[in-house]
Amino acid sequence: GENSSITLLGADYLTFYGIFVTNGGTSSADHCEIGYNLVTSGTADGASFNVIRNCSVNMKGGTERPALSRGIMTTFTSINSASGTSSNNTFHNISFNGSEIGIYLAGAYFMEAENNEVSNCTFGSTDAIGNNAAGTSGLGYAITGSDQKGFRVFNNTIDSVIVANSTASGGAIGIYLFRTTGDVFSNRINHVHHSGTSAVSVISGIYAGANFTVSLQVYNNMIRGLSSNYSGPASNIVSLTGMVSVNSTTVITAPVYWYFNTVELSASGPKNYSSAAMIISTSNSNHTATVKNNILVNHITAASTLNFSFAFCDFNSTALKVTSDYNDLFVSGTGSYIGWSSVNNTFSSTLAAWKSNSGKDQHSVSVAPVFVSTTDLHLDTISNPLLSNAGTPVTGIPGDFDFTVRDLATPEIGADEICTGIPLIPEISITTDISPQINEGETIEFSAIATNAGPAPIYEWMVNGIPIGSGSATFTSSSFQNGDQVSCRLVSSLACASSWAVISDTVTVTVYSILPEVTNLDYYYIEYGEHCFNAVDTIVASGNFSGFVVYNGASVTMIAGERILMLPGTVVYEGAYLSARIAPAGPFCNNAIIAPPANKETEVATSGVGETSFHLWPNPTDGLFTLSIPEDFVQNRNIISLFNIHGQEITRETVSGVKSKVFSLADHPA
């Protein structure tokens, strides 16, 4: 079997940081084939919630890239529930080299792994991904995901995938996704090569299919540098493809969405294989896909009339299954066609013919894009007038390949939004309408203050890091618990600003509990569970022989500010638990805290204010009080000074943009 450097057998919540793994073997007899192996223990305990980041994995040993080698993989023999999958793992900033497959993550049929992430990784930057094996064993995939749900693959660079054996017939693919849902975005695929000379093998940048009922989105990716050594008889099988949208069975009905991708195919000299910048591939003629705002360019020249070079191919037999529009479809060279559809088996050599024959791409263009260079598919800022503002907006995709905000109405076609200058960075802070120290059940409103947010920013409010609402610059609630932390996440809509989400400062809410002065526990018979009783002053258990009984297996805690009286009739049986304590300042049950004594609001006249007045409360105070600021002064720069009875200034603060300010005199003498 294969050997692993590091194995996580059902292990959870581990972080591997800066650990570099290298295959020390030199031949098939002593290779270590797997860097990190996340293994299911038994049938129901996957390795989940782990983080592997800031490291490298190189499985090349000696001169070989071993067959069946994986930089990182998940393994199980059989599972009987979703808990048996390895889920919620993060793989970030890892350099993968020298393995047949860089990273391979698997779930199971109808028991998908969930919420795994591969981000900011590089593949084949020093030693190519792929192996040296012959026949169908000769293959290479940088990223593979099967039966994944909520899979996120973004900001990765695939520098080199090479299937090296001239007799190899396996596939060479940058990103391969099978029965998978989630988001694949802002990945750069630079080089995928197949050395097989006689077999027609699959060579693709991104090959992806959705799951049964949940969609997959592929957007803002750049794909170039695909090549093949095939020199056999001329073939009309489309084997070299920038992007492949596929489903494997009629059970899969969810669509794949392809937005804002840039694909450029080129080769030196005529080729005997057929190619396409994008194809809709299906084994059952029933695949649903949407293709919008993509640059699909194919410069490969066909060697004979038996092979072809397409921008777009649709193998569905039903025309309405695929929506395609606002794309740039361009081909050049002999044997090149804008599109082909199996609906009518018509070859369309021009965009006008394609529009007529397929009914698709009515708003698309056909123009040779001008890129920054042959290796950089960013658009030249001044040489692409027909691509500039020629796209259509897509909800949920605010930014481009570089996370620069797109124009809200007329974005560019392709992965790159044309902008000049340095992108503006959005900023956000939050404030409250009253002091964030409230009584239980009291309502408090939070407001977001944003800069460089644009005309339609996206706000997402969070409590304790968990999203609880979005869409508005304000958030109101009366159900806060003591210690809740509130923040807000912002995605800007300002054209050419950064589309990375930014998070505000955090405001901690203090919630004072309204506790009874006296708690009487008459006729209480507690048979099970945990119970807590509190009072600001006194707790009285039983009384007049009414009875307060705690039975075996039950647990009771009493917390009072002044005294606890256990009168006749109080019984605690063997096996029960009773804890009673005096805590004048708390905390009480559920860590509740009580507000400082407050029964009066005092109006304070302030010189120079005229008819306007300020308010402070409570009065008297035990050290903590709130000063309200009149509406006319909220936006001013207000300097607030506090003086002691001798007229000495003890504190000074400058405030602006708030309606109230909390002060504490806890460190000062009475």
Side-chain angles (χ1 to χ4, degrees):
E2 291 75 46
N3 301 305
S4 303
S5 174
I6 297 173
T7 298
L8 281 66
L9 180 60
D12 303 325
Y13 296 100
L14 297 176
T15 296
F16 293 82
Y17 180 94
I19 298 178
F20 302 91
V21 176
T22 302
N23 173 17
T26 58
S27 68
S28 58
D30 62 358
H31 277 314
C32 178
E33 289 85 3
I34 302 170
Y36 291 82
N37 197 1
L38 282 66
V39 182
T40 298
S41 177
T43 60
D45 183 14
S48 300
F49 296 98
N50 299 293
V51 177
I52 302 174
R53 62 189 178 102
N54 295 18
C55 62
S56 68
V57 182
N58 194 331
M59 304 317 296
K60 182 179 180 181
T63 60
E64 293 186 14
R65 292 175 290 148
L68 299 177
S69 59
R70 312 285 190 264
I72 294 176
M73 71 177 298
T74 55
T75 301
F76 56 85
T77 301
S78 64
I79 60 176
N80 56 19
S81 67
S83 64
T85 64
S86 293
S87 299
N88 297 288
N89 296 295
T90 299
F91 310 98
H92 179 78
N93 196 29
I94 305 170
S95 175
F96 292 91
N97 289 284
S99 57
E100 175 182 291
I101 297 177
I103 182 167
Y104 178 87
L105 305 179
Y109 193 69
F110 281 107
M111 286 181 284
E112 301 92 341
E114 296 187 7
N115 303 324
N116 287 312
E117 176 184 303
V118 180
S119 59
N120 292 78
C121 297
T122 61
F123 296 83
S125 57
T126 57
D127 291 302
I129 300 297
N131 64 33
N132 305 328
T136 56
S137 297
L139 58 87
Y141 298 166
I143 300 172
T144 297
S146 67
D147 294 297
Q148 300 287 309
K149 182 184 293 184
F151 195 26
R152 285 169 54 85
V153 180
F154 65 94
N155 220 31
N156 302 287
T157 299
I158 298 172
D159 278 322
S160 188
V161 175
I162 298 177
V163 177
N165 196 302
S166 62
T167 66
S169 58
I173 300 176
I175 299 174
Y176 174 75
L177 303 177
F178 178 71
R179 292 198 305 246
T180 288
T181 75
D183 293 271
V184 180
F185 60 99
S186 293
N187 300 287
R188 189 197 301 263
I189 298 174
N190 291 326
H191 182 59
V192 178
H193 175 75
H194 201 292
S195 299
T197 58
S198 58
V200 178
S201 305
V202 174
I203 302 134
S204 183
I206 300 177
Y207 189 106
N211 210 321
F212 303 98
T213 58
V214 183
S215 65
L216 172 67
Q217 284 199 132
V218 183
Y219 55 95
N220 287 338
N221 300 284
M222 293 184 177
I223 302 170
R224 55 167 295 276
L226 308 184
S227 59
S228 172
N229 282 357
Y230 177 76
S231 58
S235 173
N236 63 1
I237 298 175
V238 181
S239 59
L240 188 143
T241 56
M243 301 188 302
V244 180
S245 188
V246 64
N247 70 338
S248 58
T249 170
T250 54
V251 177
I252 296 177
T253 59
V256 183
Y257 297 106
W258 302 83
Y259 299 128
F260 295 111
N261 299 287
T262 295
V263 177
E264 193 262 354
L265 302 183
S266 60
S268 59
K271 300 300 178 184
N272 277 3
Y273 53 81
S274 293
S275 62
M278 179 166 193
I279 68 172
I280 306 298
S281 179
T282 173
S283 62
N284 51 58
S285 302
N286 189 35
H287 178 40
T288 304
T290 297
V291 183
K292 286 186 178 181
N293 301 316
N294 301 279
I295 293 176
L296 303 174
V297 174
N298 191 345
H299 292 299
I300 298 175
T301 296
S304 76
T305 58
L306 298 178
N307 52 278
F308 314 100
S309 299
F310 300 103
F312 187 77
C313 281
D314 181 4
F315 285 91
N316 267 321
S317 61
T318 304
L320 297 180
K321 288 293 182 179
V322 175
T323 300
S324 181
D325 208 354
Y326 294 94
N327 301 296
D328 178 22
L329 307 175
F330 185 81
V331 294
S332 63
T334 305
S336 296
Y337 296 91
I338 291 293
W340 177 86
S341 173
S342 65
V343 173
N344 49 25
N345 193 26
T346 301
F347 291 78
S348 302
S349 58
T350 66
L351 179 59
W354 172 247
K355 290 180 179 180
S356 176
N357 292 330
S358 69
K360 306 182 189 304
D361 289 292
Q362 298 304 306
H363 300 91
S364 295
V365 299
S366 182
V367 58
V370 180
F371 299 121
V372 170
S373 71
T374 56
T375 58
D376 186 348
L377 298 187
H378 286 84
L379 295 173
D380 183 87
T381 57
I382 61 175
S383 303
N384 293 282
L386 295 181
L387 298 178
S388 180
N389 304 118
T392 186
V394 176
T395 302
I397 305 179
D400 71 348
F401 174 87
D402 302 300
F403 303 98
T404 300
V405 176
R406 294 183 180 274
D407 188 285
L408 286 178
T410 54
E412 264 73 271
I413 294 176
D416 182 34
E417 184 79 1
I418 297 175
C419 291
T420 58
I422 300 174
L424 298 172
I425 306 300
E427 296 180 355
I428 183 173
S429 61
I430 59 175
T431 186
T432 59
D433 62 333
I434 59 175
S435 167
Q437 297 176 335
I438 59 176
N439 288 324
E440 188 176 9
E442 186 177 356
T443 297
I444 182 171
E445 181 180 85
F446 287 82
S447 298
I449 302 171
T451 57
N452 297 327
I458 300 172
Y459 295 98
E460 184 176 53
W461 290 93
M462 296 177 291
V463 176
N464 302 322
I466 300 173
I468 46 80
S470 60
S472 174
T474 60
F475 166 56
T476 303
S477 177
S478 59
S479 58
F480 286 113
Q481 302 295 314
N482 183 50
D484 279 348
Q485 295 186 319
V486 181
S487 59
C488 186
R489 182 159 44 201
L490 165 72
V491 176
S492 173
S493 66
L494 182 66
C496 291
S498 172
S499 68
W500 275 113
V502 293
I503 300 177
S504 73
D505 52 320
T506 298
V507 174
T508 301
V509 182
T510 299
V511 180
Y512 296 118
S513 295
I514 302 174
L515 304 182
E517 291 286 329
V518 177
T519 297
N520 290 303
L521 302 175
D522 296 336
Y523 299 102
Y524 269 81
Y525 301 93
I526 302 173
E527 298 180 348
Y528 57 87
E530 297 181 359
H531 303 263
C532 185
F533 303 98
N534 46 212
V536 174
D537 191 290
T538 302
I539 295 176
V540 180
S542 190
N544 297 321
F545 299 95
S546 59
F548 177 81
V549 181
V550 185
Y551 289 97
N552 178 20
S555 174
V556 171
T557 300
M558 298 180 182
I559 309 171
E562 296 293 334
R563 59 181 181 166
I564 297 174
L565 302 177
M566 296 186 186
L567 302 179
T570 300
V571 179
V572 180
Y573 281 93
E574 182 179 358
Y577 175 86
L578 173 65
S579 170
R581 66 178 183 270
I582 304 300
F588 294 88
C589 297
N590 299 319
N591 293 317
I593 59 173
I594 58 173
N599 54 21
K600 181 179 178 182
E601 181 180 297
T602 301
E603 187 171 295
V604 181
T606 306
S607 62
V609 179
E611 296 297 319
T612 307
S613 61
F614 292 74
H615 301 270
L616 63 83
W617 72 91
N619 183 21
T621 176
D622 64 352
L624 192 70
F625 70 91
T626 299
L627 175 68
S628 71
I629 299 173
E631 188 69 30
D632 294 345
F633 286 76
V634 167
Q635 299 304 323
N636 292 351
R637 181 173 176 271
N638 302 300
I639 300 174
I640 302 174
S641 295
L642 302 184
F643 299 84
N644 65 15
I645 194 171
H646 302 294
Q648 299 168 324
E649 186 180 69
I650 59 175
T651 183
R652 171 184 289 224
E653 294 198 35
T654 301
V655 298
S656 178
V658 297
K659 297 180 181 180
S660 62
K661 174 67 180 175
V662 178
F663 292 88
S664 175
L665 300 178
D667 296 329
H668 297 280

